[in-house]
Amino acid sequence: MNNAAVVSAAFTSLLVVLPLLELVSLAIVPWITDQRECFGVSVPPAAHGDQRVRRYKTLFSLMVTAFGMVCVAVSLLLALAYGRAAGFWALIASVAALPIVGFALQQAFRRKIMAIKASSRWIVVDERRAALLAEQDTPKPISLAWNLLHLVPVGITIAVGYASYAAMPARIAIHENAAGAIDGWAGKSHGLLWLAPGVQILLAVVFVVVHAVIVASKRPIDPDKPAETAYAYGLFTRVWSMYLVSCGMILISVLGLTLQAAVIGAVRLDAVGAVALVAAVAAVAGAVVLAVFYGQNGSKVFGRDTSSQSGSSDDDRFWKLGVFYVNRNDHAAIVPKRFGVGWTLNFGRPVIWLAILVFVLVVIMVPVLAMRQ
């Protein structure tokens, strides 16, 4: 099978696999969330045994799945009828539309859960805190120092580039459009050798930042089961931090070396796209597996307990729309999500808004400075 056939097969697979993985990761959210929450509402664990709640969770999953399948079918039909470019843009639209539809459904079912909570008079204690004494026995995220391993593939990529510079062609393809045609070229230069390491360093920074978020996150400990929930959350953060480092090493190595091989003329540029698609699918699939196995905050570690009729705390007033955390009195800048797997920001902290401002400025200025060169 030639390069063009490989890329075509990878693209067709992407049209199916990536939206499917996204819809699966969204459809399972109500089933892997912390048992003290449901659609972003504070509830007692017993709420998850309520038939009405289970029906809403099932409806959410079915509706997300149905919409996702329609997106997959439309993307494939457009690709077959109008070519790769049409399928590509349909895929982009589908990937963007799924979370929007998921958010709309979450809001609809959140209102239903709040109504059930009020009518059923579920007891959720307002303010309770717990202190964990045997903290040394609780699992923790692996050290940020592990991210220094990312320097190894970066160094190898730089070495490969300079060792192959003499054999580089005089004209290098540097850009490919949505239809798969090369539309950007550059002359041979030492500067091109730093394109792949630059991408690797950017990816490494992203993985380090996400790892730091895990390390700095607030621990959600249940006062009724402090040791159990602390251990489960600790294991949850440890596994995810290990996954980030290992996944980062693989992605940075494979993508960086493939891109460098394209720069020095060893492989076609479209091979980079094929490798990137496969790597992205593999990374998302791994994340979905971890989410299913451990649940949000490690809620799956010890299994579900739907016997408790009261919850540990009711902070619904701090969760706007059930997903945005705004609490000026909470010193934690990073907290676990209520709907989904992972972490979110405390928008009540000024430092968060400062960080967002800096990020927006960087995103705006980098392309502007690049265009001036």
Side-chain angles (χ1 to χ4, degrees):
M1 184 179 289
N2 58 33
N3 245 0
V6 170
V7 173
S8 178
F11 180 77
T12 303
S13 300
L14 176 70
L15 289 178
V16 178
V17 177
L18 198 55
L20 283 178
L21 284 174
E22 187 181 19
L23 78 85
V24 168
S25 64
L26 186 58
I28 63 175
V29 168
W31 307 97
I32 60 176
T33 189
D34 194 304
Q35 62 183 357
R36 294 166 289 178
E37 296 146 8
C38 184
F39 289 110
V41 180
S42 296
V43 298
H48 291 276
D50 187 289
Q51 290 300 316
R52 294 167 297 178
V53 173
R54 294 183 66 86
R55 183 169 67 254
Y56 291 147
K57 289 162 67 172
T58 301
L59 279 174
F60 175 90
S61 299
L62 290 175
M63 292 171 76
V64 166
T65 300
F67 181 78
M69 295 301 293
V70 170
C71 288
V72 170
V74 170
S75 298
L76 281 174
L77 289 174
L78 287 176
L80 293 173
Y82 300 102
R84 175 173 164 177
F88 173 80
W89 291 114
L91 171 67
I92 296 298
S94 298
V95 171
L98 269 169
I100 295 174
V101 170
F103 176 74
L105 290 173
Q106 181 263 338
Q107 290 301 301
F109 288 112
R110 172 175 171 267
R111 290 191 290 269
K112 293 181 181 296
I113 297 299
M114 291 178 68
I116 296 176
K117 177 180 177 179
S119 63
S120 301
R121 297 185 178 181
W122 284 334
I123 302 172
V124 184
V125 180
D126 192 23
E127 291 290 341
R128 295 174 66 189
R129 297 290 183 267
L132 187 63
L133 300 179
E135 190 170 354
Q136 66 275 13
D137 298 326
T138 304
K140 296 178 178 63
I142 62 175
S143 171
L144 287 170
W146 280 97
N147 290 283
L148 291 173
L149 289 173
H150 296 326
L151 295 176
V152 175
V154 174
I156 293 174
T157 300
I158 294 173
V160 168
Y162 276 92
S164 308
Y165 182 74
M168 280 179 64
R171 192 164 178 254
I172 311 295
I174 60 172
H175 188 266
E176 179 181 277
N177 62 27
I182 302 298
D183 60 359
W185 300 85
K188 176 180 177 178
S189 70
H190 285 93
L192 282 178
L193 298 178
W194 287 90
L195 176 61
V199 171
Q200 289 178 310
I201 292 172
L202 180 61
L203 286 173
V205 169
V206 171
F207 280 104
V208 170
V209 169
V210 177
H211 191 168
V213 165
I214 296 176
V215 172
S217 65
K218 178 181 180 180
R219 292 185 300 175
I221 299 176
D222 186 347
D224 292 328
K225 301 176 181 178
E228 180 179 303
T229 51
Y231 182 88
Y233 183 72
L235 184 60
F236 173 74
T237 59
R238 186 170 185 83
V239 168
W240 274 102
S241 62
M242 292 173 65
Y243 179 74
L244 279 173
V245 172
S246 58
C247 185
M249 281 292 294
I250 294 172
L251 289 177
I252 290 170
S253 300
V254 172
L255 292 180
L257 288 172
T258 305
L259 180 56
Q260 192 72 304
V263 168
I264 63 179
V267 300
R268 289 166 52 93
L269 183 60
D270 51 12
V272 179
V275 170
L277 298 184
V278 173
V281 168
V284 174
V288 170
V289 170
L290 286 183
V292 171
F293 191 80
Y294 288 96
Q296 171 66 338
N297 299 336
S299 58
K300 295 283 190 177
V301 173
F302 293 105
R304 292 285 186 177
D305 177 15
T306 58
S307 60
S308 178
Q309 298 291 329
S310 63
S312 57
S313 63
D314 191 340
D315 53 359
D316 286 349
R317 63 190 183 280
F318 299 125
W319 286 91
K320 310 306 178 184
L321 303 178
V323 292
F324 302 106
Y325 187 63
V326 184
N327 186 355
R328 296 179 178 84
N329 297 321
D330 190 342
H331 294 291
I334 302 165
V335 297
K337 285 182 179 180
R338 272 201 164 190
F339 190 75
V341 174
W343 295 264
T344 188
L345 305 174
N346 179 1
F347 293 97
R349 304 294 299 166
V351 67
I352 293 300
W353 288 104
L354 178 60
I356 293 174
L357 176 61
V358 171
F359 175 78
V360 171
L361 289 176
V362 170
V363 170
I364 293 174
M365 292 305 298
V366 168
V368 172
L369 293 175
M371 290 176 64
R372 290 182 177 180
Q373 297 302 316

